[in-house]
Each structure stands twice: as structure tokens, then as C-alpha cells.
Amino acid sequence: MTRIYVGPTSLYSLGQVGELALLSAFDGDVVVPAPVADAVDVEPAATNLGEYLDSGVETGVDEAFLDGARAVLGAKDVGPAETILAGVLAHRDQRDRSAVAVVSEDRTVRRTAQGLGAEVTSSFGVVVRAAIEDKYLSPTQAKRIVRRIDQHGMHLTGELRERAVGEIAE
């Protein structure tokens, strides 16, 4: 079963607009390590995340792999990035690159996770996937969500916004 580790930037952007439930479009177990959840402290994202976590989302940290994650990042402190990458290290499977995925806007986390064999996407990718996978989320609704996320702080360049909206329409 694929494990999907979600970073604080994506939780913030989806939480600000009340769309954390879109993470259920993934086939796999969504994991929000406790340090990641603790990093989301802006309202309404924090309240929406609390409600989302109450639905049974896993919050454990793969502590046995934290040292490896720190070594990869060259970091001393355990924080959101280290806990996400510890999950990648714990659950990656070289025979099945889809065994672990990361949802994040953080470039360092994205690049590192991808280098470790994880599939990587962003909050906008979550919306696109939900529109493709979910017959109840129309392309028009998905485009509205992308625009709302864009208006609430995760600003896209015009090119990226059109790309996200274009992928939804396809």
C-alpha cells in the first residue's frame, strides 16, 4: 500500500480553503507526522487540519529513520522536513517507486524525496488528481479550488496557474 506523506505547506494551502478532504483522492494511506501538523498554526488551516486528523489520519513519525533523514538534509533539528523524509526512507521500495509519495510545495523536500525514489506532487496536483479520479468533483469546481488556493497565499505564476487549470480541463 502506498503511503502519502503530506508537508505543512500543502496542508496550509488546502486547509486555508477547507479542501483537505481532497487528499482522499490518493490510493494509499495519508500520513501527517505530528511535527508537520504542529507546524500548521495559521487559522483557518489549523482548525481544518485538526478536524481532518480526527478522521483517523496517521500521525506517527518513523523515528528509526530520523538520523538518516537528518544526514540526507544535513540538518541537526527534527522538524517537518526531516519527519517527511524519514517516512520516505522508511517506506521506499526500490522495486516499486510508487510505494511512497510526498505532497509538498517545499522545493528541498520535493527534490530530496524524488531523489530517494518517492513520487512527488503539490497541493495543486492534489486538486488535479481529485478532479480526474473523483466523478463528483467537476473540472469547474477544481478550477475554483485552484484559484482559491492561489488567492490564499500559495501564489502561482501565471504560467503555473494556467498549467494547473489546463490539466484539470484535460
Side-chain angles (χ1 to χ4, degrees), residues 6-168:
V6 186
T9 53
S10 297
L11 293 169
Y12 168 80
S13 61
L14 292 168
Q16 281 295 98
V17 298
E19 297 293 347
L20 288 165
L22 293 177
L23 291 166
S24 67
F26 289 101
D27 292 328
D29 297 324
V30 174
V31 181
V32 179
V36 171
D38 293 344
V40 180
D41 57 3
V42 175
E43 292 298 342
T47 297
N48 288 333
L49 177 58
E51 292 171 2
Y52 180 69
L53 293 176
D54 288 344
S55 71
V57 174
E58 186 177 334
T59 59
V61 175
D62 296 299
E63 293 185 20
F65 292 88
L66 285 173
D67 287 338
R70 283 187 209 111
V72 167
L73 289 171
K76 293 180 175 67
D77 296 326
V78 175
E82 288 88 354
T83 58
I84 295 214
L85 294 175
V88 171
L89 290 171
H91 299 286
R92 70 183 181 152
D93 182 340
Q94 295 299 331
R95 293 162 290 154
D96 182 5
R97 290 182 60 93
S98 65
V100 65
V102 171
V103 180
S104 178
E105 271 71 36
D106 183 299
R107 287 184 181 183
T108 300
V109 170
R110 290 170 61 87
R111 271 188 252 136
T112 306
Q114 195 168 29
L116 293 172
E119 296 292 325
V120 177
T121 193
S122 67
S123 55
F124 296 103
V126 171
V127 177
V128 170
R129 183 176 186 104
I132 292 168
E133 300 288 328
D134 185 352
K135 63 183 177 184
Y136 299 108
L137 182 65
S138 73
T140 301
Q141 291 170 310
K143 289 176 189 179
R144 285 186 189 130
I145 293 168
V146 167
R147 288 185 183 105
R148 285 180 24 232
I149 291 171
D150 188 38
Q151 292 169 349
H152 282 87
M154 296 306 290
H155 296 290
L156 293 169
T157 64
E159 177 185 344
L160 285 176
R161 182 176 27 257
E162 291 308 310
R163 183 173 154 206
V165 169
E167 287 181 16
I168 292 169

